[in-house]
């Protein structure tokens, strides 16, 4: 079990999301950084789509009620075990009674905490991802709060030993502060003026705060 002592800004259970339900008005949900989630799971020996914790900017305080193997991938939010900074992008052994906290964000805005065995919450429409607006999936369909307890699936002996001998790690990727985003032209693309289309494909935009998993609003 994991016990959330402090919720943080926005901590949710996520996997790769649910597909095939948008025609019913159910968005895909899922991790905002699927690459980081995938690597975090592989580092602890999980299937790459196992449910993990997605942490946004101000991290939670997580108490471990048993020995576990974890990994932390994505943005560097200064993770600490019992007050000592730990590395990201590697498997980390955690002993019963330890507490994971987060400090000042140093790069990125989200990171993922995977636990060997995966976060054990019920699958809803084929996914364990949290869709908070519709109260679907995750832990009771919402962001985690202080006092919540999460069950963890059973980890194999191989998963546990790999972390203890330090054999599982990957180099951290380079997250560009000004990434180039690929697009697919939608059915309405030609309805915009020629100048608007040109600007969209050549100018710089930033994602504003009125954005979520359903879509992004761009300033530019």
């Amino acid at each position: 079990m994991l016990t959330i002592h402090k919720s943080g800004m926005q901590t949710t259970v996520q996997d790769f999301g649910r597909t095939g339900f948008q025609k019913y008005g159910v968005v895909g949900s899922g991790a905002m950084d699927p690459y980081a989630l995938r690597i975090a799971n592989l580092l602890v020996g999980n299937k790459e789509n196992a449910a993990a914790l997605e942490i946004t900017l101000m991290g939670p305080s997580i108490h471990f009620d048993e020995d576990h193997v974890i990994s932390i991938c994505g943005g560097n939010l200064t993770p600490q075990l019992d007050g000592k900074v730990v590395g990201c992008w590697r498997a980390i052994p955690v002993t019963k009674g330890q507490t994971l906290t987060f400090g000042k964000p140093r790069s990125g805005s989200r990171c993922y905490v995977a636990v060997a065995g995966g976060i054990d919450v019920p699958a809803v429409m084929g996914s364990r991802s949290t869709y908070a607006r519709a109260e679907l999936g995750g832990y009771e369909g919402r962001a985690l709060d202080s006092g919540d307890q999460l069950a963890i699936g059973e980890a194999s002996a191989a998963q546990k030993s790999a972390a203890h001998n330090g054999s599982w790690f990957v180099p951290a990727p380079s997250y560009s502060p000004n990434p180039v985003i690929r697009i697919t032209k939608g059915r309405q693309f030609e309805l915009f003026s020629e100048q608007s289309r040109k600007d969209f494909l050549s100018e710089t935009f930033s994602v504003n705060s009125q954005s979520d998993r359903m879509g992004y609003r761009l300033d530019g």
Side-chain angles (χ1 to χ4, degrees):
M1 296 283 277
L2 305 180
T3 301
I4 306 298
H5 280 185
K6 181 181 176 183
S7 61
M9 180 176 178
Q10 177 85 354
T11 304
T12 58
V13 178
Q14 299 292 344
D15 55 20
F16 286 168
R18 50 186 59 84
T19 58
F21 297 97
Q22 287 191 352
K23 60 185 176 182
Y24 304 116
V26 180
V27 300
S29 303
M32 297 291 278
D33 184 351
Y35 175 80
L37 173 65
R38 176 180 286 110
I39 298 301
N41 272 318
L42 293 176
L43 281 169
V44 296
N46 291 341
K47 293 182 178 179
E48 61 183 11
N49 190 30
L53 298 182
E54 180 183 85
I55 293 165
T56 303
L57 288 174
M58 186 183 299
S61 173
I62 304 171
H63 180 78
F64 295 92
D65 302 317
E66 303 171 18
D67 293 351
H68 289 292
V69 180
I70 69 171
S71 66
I72 306 166
C73 294
N76 184 354
L77 307 186
T78 317
Q80 303 166 47
L81 270 176
D82 291 344
K84 296 182 179 180
V85 175
V86 294
C88 300
W89 302 93
R90 63 184 62 245
I92 304 166
V94 176
T95 57
K96 179 180 179 180
Q98 286 193 297
T99 300
L100 176 67
T101 57
F102 295 83
K104 181 179 179 180
R106 297 189 178 277
S107 65
S109 58
R110 292 179 178 84
C111 72
Y112 297 83
V113 177
V115 185
I119 306 296
D120 189 10
V121 294
V124 179
M125 297 181 178
S127 171
R128 292 177 170 81
S129 278
T130 306
Y131 176 21
R133 185 175 294 182
E135 300 182 357
L136 286 176
Y139 183 87
E140 298 181 356
R142 58 172 173 81
L144 298 179
D145 205 352
S146 301
D148 290 342
Q149 291 186 312
L150 296 171
I152 306 300
E154 185 66 28
S156 69
Q159 287 174 288
K160 296 175 182 178
S161 65
H164 283 277
N165 64 31
S167 63
W168 288 356
F169 67 94
V170 297
S174 175
Y175 285 102
S176 169
N178 296 295
V180 175
I181 307 298
R182 295 181 178 183
I183 70 160
T184 299
K185 295 178 181 179
R187 299 175 69 179
Q188 296 83 17
F189 188 78
E190 299 302 327
L191 298 179
F192 290 90
S193 69
E194 181 179 355
Q195 186 62 47
S196 291
R197 297 196 298 268
K198 180 180 179 181
D199 290 344
F200 181 67
L201 295 173
S202 60
E203 299 297 326
T204 298
F205 295 84
S206 59
V207 178
N208 74 24
S209 60
Q210 292 181 299
S211 301
D212 58 21
R213 287 171 216 277
M214 185 175 289
Y216 298 94
R217 293 180 183 269
L218 302 179
D219 291 329

